[in-house]
Amino acid sequence: NNMKKIILIIGILVGILIGSNVMGQVIKVNVSETHKFYRYGEFKNPIDVINTPDVDYGLEIIDCDYIFDLQGKTSTFFSRSNNGWTTVVPIVNVEKVSGGYILTTSDYGTHDPTLSYMVKIYINTEDKTLLYTYYDSYTNRTVCSKINNIIIDIVDLEL
């Protein structure tokens, strides 16, 4: 009976330590190219948009950074290729998955800035890929950017 309590306590402590490790990270991603796809309608799976897009914009060379602060719950985007344009939005959910993370951010619309969009960002730290996807209710289409060949730097912070 005491052994069960000890195992339970150890399990809880390990869970807390793993959880705090995830939340104490900053993920920096440098992007040099992106491939943007649109598909009319709302799609939860970005692969559906990539495999059968209504519009394929092809590969675009860019120079920008994402900084995902998992502790401070912010996503910062900085674009050198777009005159230093910077935006900071809140991260509303962090999910650690096999091979990386799925982040959900709350962003605002480009066509109508009063609209808010829930953006899903799939970061694969092993394959060094990133998918950025959201549904735009203003244009009734799902937008997906497939980003390959990224440089990822994960910084573990002391908590």
Side-chain angles (χ1 to χ4, degrees), residues 12-33:
I12 291 170
L13 289 174
V14 167
I16 289 170
L17 289 174
I18 289 173
S20 66
N21 184 34
V22 168
M23 301 316 286
Q25 289 182 331
V26 173
I27 302 171
K28 298 177 183 179
V29 178
N30 176 261
V31 179
S32 58
E33 62 183 38

Side-chain angles (χ1 to χ4, degrees), residues 5 11 13 24 27 38-39 45 50 64 91 98 102 107 114-115 121-123 127-128 141 151 158:
K5 287 180 184 177
L13 289 174
I27 302 171
Y38 293 96
R39 185 163 175 197
N45 187 343
I50 292 169
C64 62
I91 296 174
S98 176
I102 300 173
D107 207 341
T114 64
L115 295 176
I121 302 167
Y122 301 81
I123 305 169
D127 294 344
K128 300 201 182 316
R141 62 185 178 182
I151 299 170
E158 295 285 328

Side-chain angles (χ1 to χ4, degrees), residues 19-115:
S20 66
N21 184 34
V22 168
M23 301 316 286
Q25 289 182 331
V26 173
I27 302 171
K28 298 177 183 179
V29 178
N30 176 261
V31 179
S32 58
E33 62 183 38
T34 185
H35 195 150
K36 191 179 283 189
F37 303 88
Y38 293 96
R39 185 163 175 197
Y40 289 98
E42 185 173 4
F43 297 90
K44 300 292 183 197
N45 187 343
I47 301 304
D48 293 337
V49 177
I50 292 169
N51 287 342
T52 54
D54 290 317
V55 179
D56 178 343
Y57 280 93
L59 196 63
E60 180 183 358
I61 303 302
I62 58 175
D63 184 12
C64 62
D65 296 314
Y66 287 95
I67 300 172
F68 304 108
D69 182 344
L70 304 187
Q71 182 181 9
K73 297 280 193 161
T74 59
S75 168
T76 302
F77 174 78
F78 175 76
S79 174
R80 283 173 292 282
S81 54
N82 194 9
N83 298 320
W85 183 63
T86 303
T87 184
V88 179
V89 296
I91 296 174
V92 295
N93 190 46
V94 176
E95 183 180 350
K96 177 99 171 85
V97 295
S98 176
Y101 300 88
I102 300 173
L103 307 179
T104 305
T105 66
S106 178
D107 207 341
Y108 52 89
T110 52
H111 299 289
D112 182 350
T114 64
L115 295 176

